[in-house]
Amino acid sequence: MNSRCNKESNHSFQIYGGKGIKIEWKSFVEFKDDMYKSFLKHIKLYGADKTSIDRIYSKKNYSKKNCRWATPLIQGRNTSRTHFIEYRGEQKSISEWARIMKIKPRKINWRIFHGWSVEKALTT
């Protein structure tokens, strides 16, 4: 997190610090105070090797309000390339809806691109 946002030599700097993403914690102690309890809870469920820091909104800074601990699967779905749709009051990625509705993601994409309603795209 620190290197991606603050070191231009980091290979990921351009998509973090280079885009203006900042770390709002002023010290590791502040970070630990805000995130340690949730970290312990997450590793109890998923293990330390399946736990990393994740920004909920990828265009916003690292902060207590915008960070959580996540598995690689959740992190992989939480990118600027992920498209979300709302159905029955729930917002999920197309991949998540595809898994739930047992439809291939590309089929949902095709249907929506061709003007189908979200409901029809997910239930037909």
Side-chain angles (χ1 to χ4, degrees), residues 1 5 7 14 17 19 33 38 42 55 70 94 110 115 121 123:
M1 173 176 70
C5 292
K7 292 188 178 180
Q14 292 297 57
K19 286 188 174 181
D33 288 347
S38 60
H42 197 273
R55 286 174 298 125
I94 288 175
W110 185 93
T123 60

Side-chain angles (χ1 to χ4, degrees), residues 39 42-52 70:
F39 171 75
H42 197 273
I43 65 169
K44 190 179 243 184
L45 292 171
Y46 302 102
D49 62 327
K50 299 248 194 280
T51 298
S52 61

Side-chain angles (χ1 to χ4, degrees), residues 1-7 13 16-18 21-23 62:
M1 173 176 70
N2 208 4
S3 182
R4 291 186 298 223
C5 292
N6 298 319
K7 292 188 178 180
F13 178 81
Y16 291 90
I21 303 299
K22 296 181 179 13
I23 300 168
Y62 285 95

Side-chain angles (χ1 to χ4, degrees), residues 70-92:
T71 63
L73 178 64
I74 297 299
Q75 283 219 335
R77 290 179 178 161
N78 187 22
T79 72
S80 59
R81 297 179 312 269
T82 302
H83 298 284
F84 291 89
I85 54 177
E86 188 170 322
Y87 177 61
R88 294 187 175 166
E90 291 186 70
Q91 188 174 24
K92 298 184 185 303

Side-chain angles (χ1 to χ4, degrees), residues 1 24 51 54-57 67 74-75 95 106 111:
M1 173 176 70
E24 294 184 9
T51 298
D54 181 47
R55 286 174 298 125
I56 298 163
Y57 300 102
C67 285
I74 297 299
Q75 283 219 335
S95 296
R106 67 176 177 256
R111 290 172 174 179

